[in-house]
Amino acid sequence: MRRWGVRRSAIVIGAILALPATVFAAEVQPSDVAGCDFHLRGPITEGDHLKLDGVGGSYQGRVLCLDSPGGSLLEGKKLFDRIWEANIRTRIVSGERCESACSLAFLGGSVTQGTAVIHLRDRKLDAGGTLGFHAPSLDLPAGGSFSGKQIEQAFEIALKAAENFFEIKVTKRHGVSPMNDFLYHRILTTRPSDMYRLTYIGDAVLSDIALQGLTYPEHITAAEIQNICDNTFASTRSEALLRKGPLKEQFREALAGDGESEMDRRAVITRTGDEIEGKAYGYYSPSKFGNLGCHVRLTDGWSTYIDEYEDSYGISVSFYGYSVGQDFNPEPNNGRGSGTTVPPWFVYHPLTPISSASTAGGSVGESPRDADVKVTAVSDRRPASKYRRFVGADLPDGDLFTARKLSPDQCIDLCAEKEGCSAVTYDRWNRYCFAKNVSRSAGKLYVQAKSDTYVLQSETRHISVSDSKIELKRRRGKAFVGEPNYRASGVSYEQCRHKCGLDRSCLAFNHVPSRRSCEFFHEPPEYFSKNGYQIGVKQQVR
């Protein structure tokens, strides 16, 4: 829903979204959803900000959960202003979405508390929820002719739209801003026909949006130390991030030496009792003969603290300078260090889909895709190994053990420590790890949308692709929540099915019958219940 309604008697021009008068306005009502005091649901129209009069006022801040496809930009800005001033926390719960004008209201979530009276951001995106932004639109009917006055009015509205975004960008109270440079740039460079959705952990890191409802590894490895340091360093490199491009490339530039080439980074970890000290080497420094080293301290078994203190738990991270060619010693006498506290989701690799970290849960297509994947972190036990990754693939049988609540890197680390382990199948939706012995397995890969299989390069010669029938399973009332690889409009479910079947990389899709639209996924995130949607998922018959 992003188009403006246009009548013959009067051209209505605006930004982001206009709705015909017959469309229902948003409703604000007490919520029966856990963690929500009130719920705003429905398209945003003029006057909706007045419906928040009874929501604010609490010292602790009441929680307003948002579920809206968008609406009037001007009203979205008014909702932001009211929320920012009224001690209202905002949240998007799993399975619901807040996009377009609704995202402006979401950014206002904050509270003013404490004897020192400080203003704190408090807006949270649940893993499994959808938050989307895009630039204002100016939608004129094709082939029409317009008077000078109409064009002038359109230009005035366009300027007002830009003013609203800028006003949010420069809003500040007690040093706290609702929108950082990265998000501001992303919004303005995302055209109205598209949507910037927070899909990966890195999107949340760079946009400074809080997450909740995630699961965390029970024990920290060098891979998590590397992730913490990479995410922290990249979040400070705004000059390298203000470029349009895929998230992967933006992180690559942010972590590169002066934006020119990626530096050789590595991480090590040591344990003293329950205390963990992690070091990561090789971050860019403006010093000609120096690098920055990252120092992390935390307690093993830390996930037990997050269960109770997820809102307030922080990880201490410091960067210190050291000379090229020397060992990094994270002590104050090693140069001036810059310290900060980062939230727990920084332990995830930036390209981890947010939904995969959640606590929730005819013959088509061809063979699974493969890609080389290198575990870049170095643990204190072994050098990193090179594996071949088969996307959307399951390797049946040959199981040595299973583990849960792990990242792919942790799964591979465990395999490397187990004698005879030469492959792992990783369930992205449920974070399950299945360690395998290739010689004991079926030796064939089968298409399975939720899983990836990693095989040691030396063992890939023993792996082949099954030629059995690939089916496409249909699920009504379900939807994949995340950024698709591409879209199609004006299509039926069967047309989507056919298109996905012809695309070797397509593993699943969303179809919205009411809009006759499809969203196609190469690495589909977990799906959830959602009215008005249906999905198709590839699965190979065994």
Side-chain angles (χ1 to χ4, degrees), residues 369-374 387-391 453-454 457:
R369 296 174 293 122
D370 65 330
D372 287 338
V373 173
K374 186 176 182 181
Y387 286 74
R388 171 158 289 182
R389 179 189 184 202
F390 296 90
V391 181
T453 292
Y454 301 78
Q457 292 281 14

Side-chain angles (χ1 to χ4, degrees), residues 375 377-386 413 416:
V375 183
V378 180
S379 74
D380 54 350
R381 301 181 304 276
R382 64 175 186 86
S385 301
K386 192 171 184 181
D413 280 345

Side-chain angles (χ1 to χ4, degrees), residues 298-299 302-303 305-306 309-315 341-344:
L298 67 165
T299 302
W302 68 300
S303 60
Y305 294 97
I306 297 177
Y309 305 110
E310 183 176 11
D311 285 350
S312 58
Y313 189 92
I315 302 170
T341 301
V342 300

Side-chain angles (χ1 to χ4, degrees), residues 318-374:
S318 298
F319 284 89
Y320 294 95
Y322 69 99
S323 298
V324 175
Q326 294 184 2
D327 185 49
F328 166 44
N329 179 27
E331 296 297 335
N333 60 7
N334 197 23
R336 288 187 300 173
S338 57
T340 188
T341 301
V342 300
W345 53 88
F346 275 46
V347 301
Y348 280 101
H349 189 281
L351 298 183
T352 301
I354 296 173
S355 60
S356 72
S358 171
T359 55
S363 180
V364 294
E366 295 184 32
S367 61
R369 296 174 293 122
D370 65 330
D372 287 338
V373 173
K374 186 176 182 181

